[in-house]
Amino acid sequence: MNILAIETSCDDTAVAIVRCKNDFKNLQTKVLASEISSQIKIHAKHGGIVPNLAAREHEKNLAVIFKQALKKAKIKQKDFEKEIALIAVTKGPGLQPALLMGLNFAKALAYFTNKPLIGVNHLEGHIFSCLIDFEKEKNNDINLPAVCLLVSGGHTQLYEIKSWDDISLKGETLDDAAGECFDKIAKMLKLGYPGGVFVSKMADQFILKNKNYKKQFNLPRPLIGSKDFDFSFSGLKTAVLYLIQKLKKEKSFTQKTKSQICFEAQEAICEVLVKKTLNLAEKSKAKTIIISGGVSANKRLRTLFEEKIKNDYAFFAPDLKMTTDNAAMIAVAGYYQWLKNKKDDPLSLEVDLTL
Ligand code: KG4
Ligand code: ZN
C-alpha cells in the first residue's frame, strides 16, 4: 500500500510517499517521494529553533511540499484517492505549534478524501529509519535481536528490539540529550547552528592536524560506569562552561583551545554513547546495533562504533540523508501501527506531547 506521510515536529517541513508491503518481519519499502524543506538558515540567525517561526514556515511550505511529493511520486492529483491508501502524520513529540501545522493539514486531507489517518510517534519513526533507503527498494534485513541508539536534538534513548512486536525503551537521558549538549557547547563557543555539525567539523579538522594529541582537559564521561542504560549530559556541558571561563581568565581562550574543546567534548559524548550501547547489546545478546537520529551523522561516533564492535555485531548506521528528520520514516511508522489495526479519527486526533 502507498502511504502519504507528513512530518513537522521541528524545523523541517517534510512530506513523503512510501510503498510498504508484507508484515514487518518481511517488510519491503520503496520510497516514491521524500520531499523536505529545511528551515536551518532561518533559525541559524537566532542560534536555535524558534517554535512560532517554525510553525509559520510549515504553514507556508506544507501545501507546496505536498504537491511536490505527489509530482515526484508521479501521482496525478485526480488519482490521489486511488493511489494513496493511508495518511500518517507525526503527532509528537516535538514543538507544539510546529506539530499542529502538520496535524491540521493531515486531518483535513484525510477527512476530505475519506482516507484512514494514523498519528505517529516521531521517535518510532527514527527507529524505523533503518528500514528505508531513499534510492532503492529495501527488504527488512535487520537481524534481531537488535539494540537501537536514538540520538537526536531532543532525545538520547536506548531501545531493545527483541522482535518487531517487542520494542522496549531500556534507558534514556536524565537531563540534556546528546544533540542538545553538542548544540549548547557550540553556542558557548559561538560556532553556529545546528551545533553538532560545527563542533564535529572543528574536532575532525583539529585531530587531522594534531594526530598525536593527548587529551588535556579531563572532561567528565557522565554515567559511563553505571550499570543502567541511562545517560546524563548536563554535567559535561557545565564542565565545558567552567573550562571556557577558566581559559578566558588565563587569556588562553584561542582558536586552538576552542578546537581542542570541540575535540575533547566530542570524544566524551561519543565514548559514553558507544559504551552504554555496547553494554545493552551484550546484555540483550543482540545481533545488530542500530544508530539513528541527527547525532548518528557524527563521523567520530560511527568510527568509534566500528572500532569497538569489531565483528561482534552487525552495525547499521543510516545514510546521512536519513539521520535527520524526514517523512519517509513517519510513513513506515504509520504502516507499523496500521498492521496493528490502529486508526485515528480525523476529527479528533490531537498533538501528543507526552510521548
Ligand atoms: O534528529 P534531528 O535532525 O532532529 C531532532 O529530532 O531533534 O537531530 C538534530 C540534532 C542537533 O542537535 C544537531 O546538532 C545534531 O542532531 N547533529 C549532529 C551532527 N549533525 C547533526 N551532532 C553531532 N555531529 C553531527 N555531525
Ligand atoms: Zn527527529
Side-chain angles (χ1 to χ4, degrees), residues 70-329:
L70 285 182
K71 194 171 172 203
K72 186 80 181 273
K74 298 194 171 62
I75 295 175
K76 295 205 175 85
Q77 233 158 310
K78 68 175 172 58
D79 296 332
F80 181 89
E81 292 187 36
K82 194 173 75 199
E83 295 280 350
I84 302 294
L86 171 68
I87 298 174
V89 61
T90 306
K91 65 174 177 181
L95 308 168
Q96 190 172 30
L99 286 161
L100 270 172
M101 289 298 159
L103 207 73
N104 265 338
F105 191 88
K107 283 165 74 170
L109 198 62
Y111 187 66
F112 185 69
T113 58
N114 261 323
K115 293 289 161 191
L117 176 70
I118 292 183
V120 164
N121 180 342
H122 178 83
L123 302 172
E124 219 164 62
H126 273 302
I127 298 171
F128 295 146
S129 59
C130 59
L131 300 172
I132 41 174
D133 189 314
F134 285 140
E135 312 302 331
K136 54 181 194 290
E137 197 157 26
K138 186 171 168 71
N139 292 320
N140 184 349
D141 55 357
I142 303 282
N143 258 330
L144 298 184
V147 298
C148 174
L149 171 71
L150 195 173
V151 264
S152 68
H155 293 84
T156 299
Q157 300 184 319
L158 265 172
Y159 289 89
E160 181 180 57
I161 309 173
K162 279 192 186 158
S163 76
W164 293 106
D165 285 323
D166 187 357
I167 303 175
S168 51
L169 179 66
K170 293 294 174 191
E172 63 186 326
T173 185
L174 305 174
D175 40 59
D176 291 354
E180 205 173 343
C181 186
F182 269 114
D183 292 340
K184 286 180 176 164
I185 291 171
K187 211 166 183 179
M188 289 182 228
L189 297 171
K190 298 197 171 48
L191 296 183
Y193 182 84
V197 177
F198 290 92
V199 171
S200 72
K201 233 184 228 164
M202 265 183 106
D204 296 349
Q205 279 166 3
F206 174 78
I207 199 62
L208 206 66
K209 285 193 209 137
N210 301 274
K211 289 211 171 81
N212 298 317
Y213 178 73
K214 294 261 176 318
K215 285 176 222 141
Q216 289 177 12
F217 296 142
N218 205 16
L219 292 174
R221 269 85 175 136
L223 298 184
I224 199 162
S226 73
K227 288 216 162 59
D228 55 35
F229 304 106
D230 289 330
F231 301 91
S232 163
F233 290 104
S234 77
L236 173 59
K237 173 193 71 187
T238 311
V240 170
L241 176 69
Y242 290 155
L243 174 62
I244 294 172
Q245 286 170 350
K246 181 173 161 278
L247 291 170
K248 279 187 177 166
K249 226 182 196 170
E250 294 166 355
K251 305 234 172 320
S252 46
F253 186 57
T254 59
Q255 200 58 26
K256 169 136 191 254
T257 50
K258 263 190 182 187
S259 300
Q260 279 174 258
I261 293 173
C262 288
F263 173 74
E264 294 209 20
Q266 175 172 272
E267 287 300 295
I269 296 171
C270 293
E271 279 175 26
V272 178
L273 292 174
V274 171
K275 178 76 173 44
K276 284 289 175 95
T277 308
L278 287 172
N279 286 354
L280 180 61
E282 193 176 55
K283 181 166 178 269
S284 311
K285 299 190 171 47
K287 292 186 179 142
T288 308
I289 290 177
I290 300 164
I291 59 172
S292 68
V295 182
S296 74
N298 187 278
K299 264 198 222 148
R300 179 63 184 144
L301 182 67
R302 288 172 178 233
T303 317
L304 204 58
F305 262 118
E306 276 156 11
E307 279 171 22
K308 300 278 179 199
I309 281 176
K310 294 179 201 116
N311 291 322
D312 297 344
Y313 306 96
F315 180 50
F316 185 89
D319 191 271
L320 288 189
K321 275 194 280 177
M322 225 161 340
T323 57
T324 44
D325 291 344
N326 63 80
M329 67 187 197

